[in-house]
Amino acid sequence: MSLISIKPLPVPPEPTYQELRASAYPSIPSQLDMQYHDAVNTTATWVEAIEAVKVAYPKPVVVVEEPVVEPSEEPVVAEEEPIVEPEATPAEEPAVVEEEPVVEPEPTP
């Protein structure tokens, strides 16, 4: 008689908060029905249902540690770039419009 070795099943990963939330939310038709009745009855059942899921499965807080920067012995000074001013352009002279003299007709005797 031979012995058969049985391997244990791998442990499934724990569901993420997104997966937990997705399974806890009411179905889309139920949410739409809640929103309709909330609008007709001026209630807030849909908002309360969504908030209850968000409270039950909160978004995890991710803490990002900032790297520690040790001061160097010599201070680092940034080189200043020279300021280049744009070339001055001569101001444009206003256009002079000469008016034609008005010729009045001579009176007839």
Side-chain angles (χ1 to χ4, degrees):
M1 206 190 253
S2 68
L3 292 174
I4 300 174
S5 64
I6 299 175
K7 296 181 183 177
L9 293 174
V11 178
E14 291 192 29
T16 63
Y17 88 97
Q18 291 105 334
E19 294 168 334
L20 292 170
R21 274 188 180 183
S23 66
Y25 282 128
S27 68
I28 298 296
S30 295
Q31 289 188 41
L32 293 173
D33 191 51
M34 286 181 210
Q35 290 177 351
Y36 170 78
H37 289 289
D38 286 348
V40 170
N41 301 325
T42 62
T43 56
T45 54
W46 177 76
V47 172
E48 292 167 357
I50 299 302
E51 283 179 352
V53 173
K54 289 183 182 283
V55 168
Y57 304 104
K59 184 182 282 191
V61 178
V62 178
V63 178
V64 178
E65 293 184 22
E66 294 184 21
V68 178
V69 178
E70 295 182 18
S72 61
E73 293 178 16
E74 292 184 24
V76 178
V77 179
E79 292 183 24
E80 293 184 20
E81 294 183 22
I83 298 174
V84 179
E85 295 185 16
E87 294 181 19
T89 57
E92 293 183 19
E93 295 182 18
V96 177
V97 178
E98 292 185 23
E99 294 182 12
E100 295 183 22
V102 179
V103 180
E104 295 183 16
E106 292 184 21
T108 56

